[in-house]
Amino acid sequence: MIIVISPENILINEAECVNKMFQDGLELFHIRKPFITEEEMIVFLDQIDASFRHRLVMHGYFDLAAEYGISRIHFREQDRINGLHSWRAKGSVISTSVHDVISFNALEPNWEYAFFSPFFSSISKPGYGEHSTVLEKIGLRNNHDVKLIALGGIYEENIEIALKLGAEGLALLGGIWMNEQPVRAFNQCRNRMLEYNYQNR
């Protein structure tokens, strides 16, 4: 599984890039834009081809998700801990985030997948993840009901490391949007993942 997470603010031609990535095989696009207004979100959603809405995942504006027929919802770690996901669980495909293997192992099977971060030093947040112990602790994973999606510093050159450690998918953020050619960067990452999966099937 390959996932792209949106930048926090809307970029020029972002929706156009997202549509192209979907055409090229993007499985899911997480819309995480905590600082934009509802009106701006509506304009953004309207620019994404309606045929791809079943592949969108909302991190907020859940009422808009219902209006647009978007059934996938992502809950932050703190919101999950506080139980804020329970009212949305019915009828929605839910995902969440974790930052340690103990939290991952404790997830219930109703979560389709969880972002596990930071795998590597962040590309979009300099300094974040430099002292992460994820790579050392991931061997303690014993929860296989929830898919583990590697997040944090993922780009073409370290994809194989994440997959060899047991990640069932990749979440791309800085490696895509901090590249001058986001669609090209996505395809390079996707091809690397497909090549690895083919060689290790």
Side-chain angles (χ1 to χ4, degrees), residues 158-198:
N158 59 21
I159 281 172
E160 287 189 19
I161 298 173
L163 296 173
K164 283 178 181 176
L165 287 168
E168 281 103 8
L170 309 166
L172 310 172
L173 177 55
I176 299 298
W177 301 113
M178 295 187 73
N179 191 294
E180 291 182 359
Q181 299 183 58
V183 175
R184 181 172 177 269
F186 163 75
N187 278 305
Q188 288 173 332
C189 290
R190 181 173 181 269
N191 289 340
R192 181 63 66 92
M193 183 187 73
L194 291 174
E195 182 182 338
Y196 175 86
N197 289 341
Y198 178 78

Side-chain angles (χ1 to χ4, degrees), residues 8 118 120-131 152-153 173-175 178:
E8 291 187 342
F120 306 103
S121 294
S122 175
I123 298 169
S124 57
K125 299 177 183 176
Y128 181 68
E130 283 183 358
H131 306 293
L173 177 55
M178 295 187 73

Side-chain angles (χ1 to χ4, degrees), residues 45-193:
L45 288 172
D46 284 342
Q47 293 179 71
I48 296 176
D49 194 298
S51 65
F52 299 132
R53 284 184 186 158
H54 66 289
R55 295 197 236 169
L56 298 177
V57 186
M58 297 293 283
H59 283 231
Y61 292 113
F62 297 150
D63 291 338
L64 279 182
E67 285 181 35
Y68 279 78
I70 299 168
S71 62
R72 292 178 172 273
I73 304 292
H74 186 88
F75 291 92
R76 298 180 311 153
E77 184 169 42
Q78 196 56 49
D79 290 340
R80 183 189 75 248
I81 292 169
N82 292 336
L84 299 182
H85 63 281
S86 56
W87 66 278
R88 287 294 315 189
K90 266 191 177 179
S92 297
V93 179
I94 57 174
S95 56
T96 190
S97 301
V98 300
H99 299 87
D100 63 84
V101 72
I102 294 173
S103 298
F104 185 88
N105 287 338
L107 291 174
E108 298 174 343
N110 57 318
W111 298 100
E112 184 184 28
Y113 57 86
F115 291 152
F116 198 148
S117 69
F119 248 67
F120 306 103
S121 294
S122 175
I123 298 169
S124 57
K125 299 177 183 176
Y128 181 68
E130 283 183 358
H131 306 293
S132 170
T133 60
V134 166
L135 300 186
E136 290 78 25
K137 299 290 181 63
I138 197 170
L140 301 174
R141 173 193 181 187
N142 58 30
N143 182 350
H144 295 281
D145 294 321
V146 181
K147 291 178 185 148
L148 189 153
I149 308 298
L151 170 64
I154 306 286
Y155 71 113
E156 183 186 4
E157 297 305 318
N158 59 21
I159 281 172
E160 287 189 19
I161 298 173
L163 296 173
K164 283 178 181 176
L165 287 168
E168 281 103 8
L170 309 166
L172 310 172
L173 177 55
I176 299 298
W177 301 113
M178 295 187 73
N179 191 294
E180 291 182 359
Q181 299 183 58
V183 175
R184 181 172 177 269
F186 163 75
N187 278 305
Q188 288 173 332
C189 290
R190 181 173 181 269
N191 289 340
R192 181 63 66 92
M193 183 187 73

